[in-house]
Amino acid sequence: MSYVLNDAERFADEATTGFVAAHRDVVRHVPGGVARATATPPGEVAVVVGGGSGHYPAFAGLVGPGLAHAAALGNVFASPSAQQVHGVARSVATEAGVLLSYGNYAGDVLNFGLAEKRLRDEGVPVRTVRVTDDVSSAGPDERHSRRGIAGDLVVFRTAAWAAERGLPLDDVTDLAFRANDRTRSLGVAFSGCTLPGAAEPLFTVPDGQMGVGIGIHGEPGIDTRPLPTARELAVLFVETLLGERPDDVPAAEGARVGVILNGLGSVKGEELFVVYGAVAELLEAEGLTIVDPEVGEYATSFEMAGISLTLFWLDDDLEQAWTSPAYAAAYRKGAVRPSGPRLDDDARDPVETEDVAPSADGSAEAGRIVSAAIAAVRDVIDRDADELGRLDAIAGDGDHGIGMQRGARAAAEAAEDAVEAGAGAGTVLVRAGDAWAHRAGGTSGALWGAGLRAAGERLGDGAAPAPADVAEAVHAARATIQGFGGAEIGDKTLVDALVPFAEALAAAVEDDDALAEAWTAAADAATEAARATADLAPRLGRARSHVKRSAGTPDPGAISFARAMTAAGDALARNHEEGT
Amino acid sequence: MSYVLNDAERFADEATTGFVAAHRDVVRHVPGGVARATATPPGEVAVVVGGGSGHYPAFAGLVGPGLAHAAALGNVFASPSAQQVHGVARSVATEAGVLLSYGNYAGDVLNFGLAEKRLRDEGVPVRTVRVTDDVSSAGPDERHSRRGIAGDLVVFRTAAWAAERGLPLDDVTDLAFRANDRTRSLGVAFSGCTLPGAAEPLFTVPDGQMGVGIGIHGEPGIDTRPLPTARELAVLFVETLLGERPDDVPAAEGARVGVILNGLGSVKGEELFVVYGAVAELLEAEGLTIVDPEVGEYATSFEMAGISLTLFWLDDDLEQAWTSPAYAAAYRKGAVRPSGPRLDDDARDPVETEDVAPSADGSAEAGRIVSAAIAAVRDVIDRDADELGRLDAIAGDGDHGIGMQRGARAAAEAAEDAVEAGAGAGTVLVRAGDAWAHRAGGTSGALWGAGLRAAGERLGDGAAPAPADVAEAVHAARATIQGFGGAEIGDKTLVDALVPFAEALAAAVEDDDALAEAWTAAADAATEAARATADLAPRLGRARSHVKRSAGTPDPGAISFARAMTAAGDALARNHEEGT
């Protein structure tokens, strides 16, 4: 939907005014739309495009060197009038003539057609190339009645490249036709869109479903299916479009294709990249060479959530056009491009793991116990992750459960690997800590990771550490966590449970309690302290409104710490029983 | 929400893989994130940025010449781990050192801080500049505890410009600090966002409300208010930020500012431009000079609907930095920029209106009657616009009511103006038709416009046209509409009502009926024919699924035509009674 506007009737006009104000270096306002900021050079064919508003960056954002000379801009989802098209074309036409190019929709055909007639009557040479890339809108034998979607970009780019090379109108037209003939698209939608000022969406897609072949004005699709995974969607796209491969292009080895993965509105960049990763893999597996892929928004349908894939089978001319420089408001290529040789990709994990040197028997046994305790922590966090998330959602961003889960799982796995390699207790803790910090990320991940590492470094890999050694390792972890995080007792953080835990453990060990007993007493102290954080206000520096929202709720970091320590204590007790 | 993904846990990693695949000319994968595709030149300070995923184009899309040397990419809304930051920094560091820059969030501070320590231990010179532009997150006396939002772009651009000029690390740091000191932002949100794989949104904004000062991870805002108009939002932004003007910058005349109007996810381009138009006007009214405004997505919050405004008070150095070229995946500037003088804006309406030459008395009277009939058409369309929209929504895009309304209103206004200027019937019809076509756009607008024009040209401006003249004018309109639109009887279009109307009118006139009577008989025939279109299938060429959806429903174009003709007939009858 549209959220803020002044007047629904004037929405498209105001958008154009704001667009020109933001892009004065590239465009100027002309009657009926926008044109390049500079004059068409004498003798150059002018490429005039256009269509309804609501498809940004189509069409205003696609005006500039390497793209259109001008765009006629209609109302939202309505073709520009013939007068608009005429006015825009006149503003850029030279004696070399005008190529009109636009998506094949009835209203556009009619209005551009009327404008073409009027321009001809005035003596301006005019040709027309309609874009018909959407394979879902008609069968292969009715290709010329198909509608145009993101393939617009391909045809406009080709026409502009030809025009800027100084080719005559007929040659520019032939190249644009050739580009359209070799372009195929398929789109899907996950949600509808609501026009500015409208109370209801233009159409809806049922939750968990996807409309296949839906148009960019909400025209119904050819099929409704359950939401696929990103990879399944990529398979649908690639199989459909390769099945429509133009007859006169190579099938596999030797075929070079331009690719557009187009977001139709509300699909975010990251999600497009996940889909593109799968698309690229599938195309390459088919033997195709991808040239200058474009992943982003090129022709949208207001805020509709949807994605389309466009394939453009290149030949030598078309590849030159596709890779040529451009400088429009929303499409730029070939600027201060990187020079120098491209370095190799290096997608290695940033945590490097050295081999573990096996340690003495007693030490390896201690490593096993530590690993069992970490596994117990993982299990309790797995069990409680949703609850921790809900607790965190009251005053924070709700990701504490997920973050702890990622960290604890990674730590338990790293600990097991280290034990398998014969590592001692200290090394197991260090590796678990590094894995936790790296996989969990965020604040709690960094603190848990640093704490485990500090404990491991203090404990070392000696055989069977004494309870006093363990208490000192916990002390080291506490000091590290407080040192990094800067929190004090009473700030409503993890520290509120950690400090009582470390103190109770040290006291019990001093009383000569066995480790498992001492640990359990410390975990009980941590649990009590964690519950008591419900009465605290959050530490300074968090958004102030948190104070109000979290009143009466305990701190999720303190709670998860206490539960983890309780679980670790249970593991130590089990080990103690098994050992006796 | 996220619609398609493979595995929520691997979402961020897969997004990075797809991103690198799509942008191999600009970036390479390095441990923990992405770096420029080419090596950092010896002696150049490396600018290393980063943060959680879910903010695209921050941070991966902001790596390249003129922007960051590398970005560490954490999980969704989670800071990268210290290991990631370290790995990324090592991949681009030279002996000149590293500037770390990132938004001021606890997790980032911690992990970048740990990485900084590790880099220093390894002998790499490191400095840090945290971005703190969000005025809503803390008061002016706590500026350094504010969080960073779209101001990231400003600070990264400045740091990179300084680094690429070969300045030493301390100077690069000073300039980045200065940029941050002179940057202020405020954001608002209209909806929440849902993390990949999550069932529920992270937070919600009540319908019709707006969260003011909300953070880019859904941190609660400082205020909730009713949705404003675009202009009211611009006033809130500009007044708040100008009230925070840094002490050491000029107040008005002479102050030059960089501007970023940032979409946070689901707000569409057109809507941003509407808001930007108002922002630009307000800033200029304050005497500020806007330099290189940016309107688009620069730091998002997944698919949250929201907008932020950033002001960057320039000085000579900072303006050079802000206007310098860049070539990142998502931010490009200074490519094949237009050369030659900028032509003037020309935002005139593309419909030019010549003065009307007053005609003879009888003719002006005929013009008044035509104008009254058109006003009656406008009134009935106004009354029925919603119903026509609903009818169209069954098989089309639901805009028939709105389009007809826009056209009829414009036509009635143009007709009145023409009458006032003394125009005859023909001129009134021609002007009404041109206005209808231009304001309504789309298919029906073009057809109605062309039909009215054709009728006007046939009728001419003579005094008191005879009924036979009127029937011939209607015949001309019918021929024109069928000629342009290409529809035949039975295609389920306007033509199904138009042809019987024209034929019945001609027959009644031939029988010597008075015009008002003849017209009413013809309108009745049109009404009957329009209702009968419910039994027809739509004409070929519309999306095939329309056939099924529109079964049993009459064609909205035929219905609106019949109602318009009935209303016009009533007006003629009223005139006839008044005349007698």
Side-chain angles (χ1 to χ4, degrees):
Chain A
M1 62 175 294
S2 59
Y3 297 94
V4 288
L5 46 81
N6 294 314
D7 173 355
E9 287 222 15
R10 295 198 29 77
F11 180 82
D13 286 344
E14 289 193 1
T16 300
T17 302
F19 170 79
V20 174
H23 293 289
R24 292 181 55 79
D25 54 334
V26 182
V27 295
R28 64 195 162 102
H29 219 141
V30 296
V34 298
R36 294 189 192 178
T38 53
T40 313
E44 183 170 305
V45 170
V47 177
V48 174
V49 307
S53 294
H55 304 298
Y56 191 82
F59 295 88
L62 303 181
V63 172
L67 262 160
H69 291 76
L73 307 173
N75 224 309
V76 179
F77 287 7
S79 98
S81 68
Q83 291 95 330
Q84 287 186 285
V85 177
H86 176 264
V88 166
R90 290 301 312 212
S91 74
V92 293
T94 70
E95 72 286 4
V98 169
L99 178 72
L100 299 177
S101 187
Y102 51 92
N104 184 37
Y105 295 91
D108 294 298
V109 172
L110 195 57
N111 285 294
F112 277 83
L114 289 168
E116 175 168 357
K117 183 171 175 305
R118 186 159 161 205
L119 289 164
R120 285 215 172 126
D121 289 348
E122 293 167 354
V124 180
V126 189
R127 299 284 182 282
T128 291
V129 177
R130 292 180 200 120
V131 182
T132 58
D133 56 317
D134 183 359
V135 302
S136 76
S137 55
D141 45 345
E142 298 174 286
R143 277 204 57 231
H144 297 295
S145 69
R146 287 176 172 173
R147 64 195 172 204
I149 52 175
D152 282 351
L153 179 67
V154 164
V155 178
F156 300 170
R157 290 273 288 141
T158 304
W161 170 79
E164 289 175 11
R165 288 176 76 205
L167 297 183
L169 181 56
D170 283 336
D171 293 359
V172 173
T173 307
D174 287 348
L175 275 158
F177 269 126
R178 207 204 297 171
N180 184 56
D181 278 344
R182 295 166 73 108
T183 301
R184 303 285 186 279
S185 302
L186 176 66
V188 298
F190 316 120
S191 85
C193 59
T194 303
L195 298 188
E200 297 293 324
L202 210 49
F203 69 103
T204 56
V205 178
D207 268 0
Q209 300 281 306
M210 160 176 91
V212 178
I214 213 155
I216 58 172
H217 312 89
E219 298 92 337
I222 50 175
D223 199 3
T224 301
R225 303 187 191 179
L227 265 187
T229 65
R231 198 179 173 78
E232 288 163 355
L233 178 59
V235 169
L236 170 70
F237 278 150
V238 169
E239 285 185 353
T240 306
L241 297 187
L242 292 188
E244 278 264 350
R245 179 174 60 86
D247 292 335
D248 52 343
V249 305
E253 304 299 334
R256 298 171 67 80
V257 287
V259 176
I260 304 170
L261 192 76
N262 176 52
L264 281 147
S266 294
V267 174
K268 296 318 304 159
E270 286 87 352
E271 200 167 353
L272 290 176
F273 289 125
V274 170
V275 176
Y276 179 71
V279 165
E281 224 180 280
L282 291 166
L283 291 175
E284 281 160 6
E286 292 285 343
L288 299 167
T289 301
I290 297 171
V291 178
D292 280 16
E294 299 288 350
V295 181
E297 295 183 351
Y298 303 95
T300 63
S301 179
F302 219 60
E303 92 295 9
M304 177 170 106
I307 306 179
S308 66
L309 179 68
T310 299
L311 296 185
F312 176 27
W313 276 267
L314 303 169
D315 61 20
D316 287 348
D317 289 333
L318 298 176
E319 182 160 344
Q320 277 191 61
W322 182 239
T323 57
S324 67
Y327 204 89
Y331 187 91
R332 294 175 184 185
K333 196 163 177 174
V336 282
R337 299 194 79 164
S339 55
R342 190 180 194 284
L343 302 183
D344 286 338
D345 283 323
D346 180 359
R348 276 179 307 154
D349 201 302
V351 178
E352 287 161 32
T353 315
E354 289 156 32
D355 287 343
V356 168
S359 49
D361 270 1
S363 168
E365 171 57 23
R368 257 190 296 278
I369 296 169
V370 168
S371 173
I374 295 174
V377 169
R378 174 200 59 205
D379 293 344
V380 74
I381 297 295
D382 265 349
R383 188 195 69 191
D384 295 351
D386 286 354
E387 182 193 345
L388 293 169
R390 284 194 298 272
L391 201 56
D392 186 38
I394 294 169
D397 58 9
D399 67 355
H400 184 69
I402 298 177
M404 287 290 291
Q405 197 170 31
R406 276 200 300 257
R409 285 180 180 176
E413 191 182 327
E416 277 157 26
D417 289 350
V419 165
E420 204 147 300
T427 298
V428 169
L429 281 164
V430 166
R431 300 233 161 169
D434 285 355
W436 189 312
H438 177 49
R439 289 291 160 213
T443 310
S444 67
L447 294 176
W448 272 86
L452 290 172
R453 177 177 254 278
E457 284 172 351
R458 173 65 191 73
L459 205 57
D461 283 335
D469 296 328
V470 174
E472 278 188 33
V474 168
H475 177 81
R478 183 203 60 72
T480 298
I481 289 173
Q482 276 197 282
F484 282 146
E488 297 297 331
I489 282 275
D491 285 350
K492 195 164 188 161
T493 71
L494 160 68
V495 165
D496 287 316
L498 170 60
V499 170
F501 177 81
E503 287 173 357
L505 184 67
V509 162
E510 196 134 320
D511 290 349
D512 282 336
D513 285 6
L515 179 62
E517 268 169 64
W519 190 284
T520 300
D524 289 347
T527 301
E528 195 178 326
R531 284 192 194 129
T533 58
D535 302 328
L536 298 172
R539 61 184 296 207
L540 226 73
R542 297 177 80 172
R544 285 156 297 166
S545 52
H546 284 181
V547 176
K548 196 170 128 210
R549 294 176 79 199
S550 71
T553 311
D555 180 67
I559 293 286
S560 62
F561 174 79
R563 297 212 178 147
M565 291 307 104
T566 303
D570 293 347
L572 292 178
R574 274 197 301 277
N575 177 70
H576 184 67
E577 281 162 23
E578 283 161 14
T580 52
Chain B
M1 61 175 295
S2 59
Y3 297 94
V4 287
L5 47 79
N6 295 313
D7 173 355
E9 287 221 15
R10 295 197 31 76
F11 180 82
D13 285 345
E14 291 193 358
T16 301
T17 303
F19 171 78
V20 174
H23 293 290
R24 291 182 55 79
D25 54 334
V26 182
V27 296
R28 64 195 163 103
H29 219 140
V30 296
V34 298
R36 293 189 193 176
T38 54
T40 314
E44 183 169 306
V45 170
V47 177
V48 174
V49 307
S53 294
H55 305 298
Y56 191 83
F59 295 88
L62 304 180
V63 172
L67 262 162
H69 290 77
L73 307 173
N75 223 308
V76 179
F77 286 8
S79 98
S81 69
Q83 289 95 330
Q84 288 186 284
V85 177
H86 176 264
V88 166
R90 290 299 315 211
S91 74
V92 293
T94 70
E95 72 287 3
V98 169
L99 178 72
L100 299 177
S101 188
Y102 51 92
N104 184 37
Y105 295 91
D108 294 298
V109 171
L110 195 58
N111 285 294
F112 276 83
L114 289 168
E116 174 168 1
K117 187 174 171 302
R118 187 162 161 204
L119 290 164
R120 284 215 172 126
D121 289 348
E122 293 168 354
V124 180
V126 188
R127 298 284 182 282
T128 291
V129 177
R130 293 182 200 118
V131 182
T132 59
D133 56 316
D134 183 1
V135 302
S136 75
S137 55
D141 44 347
E142 298 175 284
R143 275 204 57 231
H144 297 295
S145 69
R146 285 175 172 172
R147 64 193 171 204
I149 51 175
D152 282 351
L153 179 68
V154 164
V155 178
F156 301 169
R157 289 272 288 141
T158 304
W161 171 77
E164 289 175 10
R165 288 176 74 207
L167 297 183
L169 181 55
D170 283 336
D171 293 358
V172 173
T173 308
D174 288 348
L175 277 158
F177 270 125
R178 205 203 300 172
N180 185 56
D181 278 344
R182 296 165 74 107
T183 302
R184 303 285 186 279
S185 301
L186 175 65
V188 299
F190 316 120
S191 85
C193 58
T194 304
L195 298 187
E200 296 294 324
L202 210 49
F203 70 103
T204 56
V205 178
D207 268 0
Q209 300 282 304
M210 159 176 91
V212 178
I214 214 154
I216 59 171
H217 312 89
E219 297 93 338
I222 51 176
D223 199 3
T224 302
R225 302 188 192 176
L227 266 187
T229 65
R231 195 175 176 81
E232 288 163 355
L233 178 60
V235 169
L236 170 71
F237 278 150
V238 168
E239 285 187 353
T240 306
L241 297 187
L242 292 188
E244 279 264 349
R245 180 174 59 85
D247 291 335
D248 54 341
V249 305
E253 303 300 336
R256 298 172 66 80
V257 289
V259 176
I260 305 171
L261 192 77
N262 176 52
L264 280 146
S266 295
V267 174
K268 295 318 306 158
E270 285 88 350
E271 201 168 353
L272 290 175
F273 290 122
V274 170
V275 175
Y276 179 72
V279 166
E281 223 180 282
L282 292 167
L283 291 174
E284 281 160 7
E286 292 284 342
L288 298 168
T289 302
I290 297 172
V291 179
D292 280 13
E294 299 287 351
V295 180
E297 295 184 352
Y298 303 95
T300 63
S301 181
F302 219 62
E303 93 293 10
M304 178 171 105
I307 307 181
S308 66
L309 179 69
T310 299
L311 295 186
F312 176 26
W313 276 269
L314 302 169
D315 62 19
D316 288 347
D317 289 333
L318 298 177
E319 181 159 344
Q320 277 191 61
W322 180 240
T323 58
S324 67
Y327 205 88
Y331 188 91
R332 295 177 183 183
K333 197 163 175 170
V336 281
R337 298 193 80 164
S339 54
R342 189 179 194 286
L343 302 182
D344 287 337
D345 283 324
D346 181 357
R348 274 180 307 154
D349 200 303
V351 179
E352 288 161 31
T353 315
E354 289 157 32
D355 287 343
V356 169
S359 48
D361 269 1
S363 169
E365 172 57 23
R368 256 191 296 278
I369 296 169
V370 168
S371 175
I374 294 173
V377 168
R378 174 198 59 202
D379 293 344
V380 75
I381 296 294
D382 265 347
R383 187 194 70 190
D384 294 351
D386 287 352
E387 181 195 346
L388 293 170
R390 283 195 299 274
L391 201 57
D392 187 37
I394 293 169
D397 60 7
D399 67 355
H400 184 71
I402 298 177
M404 287 290 292
Q405 198 170 31
R406 276 200 300 258
R409 284 179 181 178
E413 193 183 326
E416 277 157 26
D417 288 351
V419 166
E420 204 146 299
T427 298
V428 169
L429 280 166
V430 166
R431 299 233 162 171
D434 285 356
W436 189 311
H438 177 50
R439 289 291 162 213
T443 309
S444 67
L447 294 176
W448 272 86
L452 290 173
R453 177 177 255 279
E457 285 173 349
R458 173 65 193 73
L459 205 57
D461 284 335
D469 296 327
V470 174
E472 277 188 34
V474 168
H475 177 81
R478 183 203 60 71
T480 299
I481 289 175
Q482 275 196 283
F484 282 146
E488 297 296 333
I489 280 276
D491 286 349
K492 194 162 188 163
T493 71
L494 159 68
V495 165
D496 288 315
L498 170 60
V499 170
F501 177 82
E503 287 173 356
L505 184 67
V509 162
E510 196 134 318
D511 291 349
D512 282 333
D513 285 5
L515 179 61
E517 267 170 68
W519 190 284
T520 300
D524 290 347
T527 301
E528 194 179 329
R531 286 194 193 127
T533 59
D535 302 328
L536 299 172
R539 63 185 292 210
L540 226 70
R542 297 178 82 172
R544 284 156 298 165
S545 52
H546 284 180
V547 175
K548 198 169 128 208
R549 294 178 77 199
S550 71
T553 311
D555 179 67
I559 292 286
S560 61
F561 174 80
R563 297 215 179 144
M565 292 307 104
T566 303
D570 292 346
L572 293 178
R574 274 196 302 277
N575 177 72
H576 184 70
E577 281 161 25
E578 283 160 14
T580 53

